[in-house]
Amino acid sequence: MSPLPSLSATPRIAFLASSITVAQQALEQMRLRYGHHSPQDADVICPLGGDGFMLQTLHRYGMLGKPVFGMKLGTVGFLMNQYREDDLPQRLALAEPAHLRPLEMLALTESGTTTGSLAYNEVSLLRQTRQAAHIRIDLNGQTRVDELMCDGVLVSTPAGSTAYNYSAYGPILPLGSHVLALTPIAPYRPRRWRGAIVKAETEFRMQVLDPYKRPVSVTADSHETRDVIEVTIRESRDRQVTLLFDPEHNLEERIISEQFTV
């Protein structure tokens, strides 16, 4: 069932588009056909572009609590629906919701500053130089990995588990599973450790063991902080976004299908 407040009349739609030409052309056509409202005044937000632009939209307008129906006009569109100009109000009326909670990241840098950010896909720690990173991993205050020598390590949400996490040989997580994936990136020691699946309530604390010789950056979706010495990650308790999908291509089915792709 769609969360739109009233579907008897044409919903108020806020159209947004990435900077690529085809998306800007579609933006003009959709606004001419269906009108345009600001995100603050709209019933639903409709970004036109790829997954990167969808994440930008969620970061910018997620706090409004408006459902988001994206349409693919970019390179990657796992979080998007097929672009069609016709019958948008009917598609919105039939759309199925997927409720996502972002990760909250808090990073402490060598200079003593702290940086916070949200991540709807993943938070990843990555080495900044040719030398491997050395990272200690605590879960809920208990050390689980004394020293991980690696290119990096990431924490992924179910919605993001088919992205960078999957490329790093991490598990695909079903929506609604209430778990997160902890996945090492090119681990050297311990050589046999391949990560873990943990409860969504888990708090992660990553400590960089040799930050001056082996500097590490952290990226929450596309927001990067360099020269970190400690990073805390947990699922947000008070932030949630709702994505809308055509019933024949809902997000849960896409995640299941990814596990059977050869």
Side-chain angles (χ1 to χ4, degrees):
M1 180 180 296
S2 173
L4 293 176
S6 175
L7 298 175
S8 58
T10 302
R12 296 170 297 177
I13 305 172
F15 291 103
L16 309 170
S18 68
S19 59
I20 63 174
T21 301
V22 64
Q24 288 295 315
Q25 292 172 343
L27 176 67
E28 183 178 352
Q29 293 300 316
M30 298 300 278
R31 287 181 172 180
L32 284 173
R33 181 161 185 173
Y34 298 106
H36 172 65
H37 299 267
S38 70
Q40 292 78 8
D41 297 329
D43 297 315
V44 61
I45 298 174
C46 184
L48 309 173
D51 281 351
F53 186 67
M54 169 63 84
L55 291 176
Q56 291 179 32
T57 301
L58 296 180
H59 280 280
R60 187 170 183 180
Y61 299 110
M63 77 291 295
L64 297 177
K66 305 296 178 69
V68 180
F69 184 90
M71 288 195 280
K72 181 180 181 298
L73 285 167
T75 304
V76 180
F78 191 82
L79 299 175
M80 315 295 275
N81 297 279
Q82 180 182 1
Y83 175 77
R84 295 199 309 270
E85 186 177 331
D86 297 333
D87 303 322
L88 182 56
Q90 290 86 345
R91 292 175 72 187
L92 293 175
L94 297 173
E96 296 181 356
H99 305 293
L100 310 180
R101 287 192 179 276
L103 299 172
E104 295 177 342
M105 181 277 292
L106 185 65
L108 176 64
T109 70
E110 290 178 9
S111 64
T113 62
T114 57
T115 301
S117 185
L118 296 177
Y120 292 92
N121 270 1
E122 76 279 318
V123 175
S124 55
L125 282 76
L126 302 168
R127 64 184 176 96
Q128 291 179 193
T129 68
R130 61 179 177 82
Q131 293 182 300
H134 289 196
I135 300 171
R136 176 179 295 132
I137 301 175
D138 294 355
L139 304 184
N140 293 330
Q142 181 177 355
T143 299
R144 293 294 185 177
V145 180
D146 289 316
E147 186 175 11
L148 175 64
M149 299 172 61
C150 58
D151 279 358
V153 63
L154 63 85
V155 178
S156 172
T157 67
S161 65
T162 59
Y164 191 8
N165 171 72
Y166 191 41
S167 298
Y169 303 102
I172 294 178
L173 306 175
L175 284 181
S177 58
H178 303 294
V179 295
L180 303 172
L182 174 64
T183 302
I185 303 168
Y188 180 68
R189 292 274 192 272
R191 195 177 293 272
R192 296 182 182 274
W193 187 63
R194 290 295 179 264
I197 298 174
V198 300
K199 292 181 179 179
E201 296 80 13
T202 302
E203 182 174 275
F204 303 81
R205 183 169 173 248
M206 316 285 194
Q207 292 179 278
V208 180
L209 299 180
D210 196 355
Y212 301 103
K213 182 180 179 182
R214 303 172 184 273
V216 171
S217 66
V218 63
T219 302
D221 287 345
S222 61
H223 180 241
E224 182 188 37
T225 302
R226 297 178 69 82
D227 300 315
V228 299
I229 60 175
E230 183 177 297
V231 178
T232 302
I233 306 163
R234 69 176 186 180
E235 186 182 72
S236 177
R237 295 178 174 86
D238 55 6
R239 292 287 291 272
Q240 178 176 280
V241 295
T242 299
L243 302 188
L244 301 178
F245 294 92
D246 291 320
E248 64 272 21
H249 296 293
N250 66 69
L251 186 58
E252 184 172 4
E253 174 59 30
R254 293 185 197 187
I255 290 177
I256 292 174
S257 296
E258 282 289 319
Q259 299 178 73
F260 295 91
T261 300
V262 294

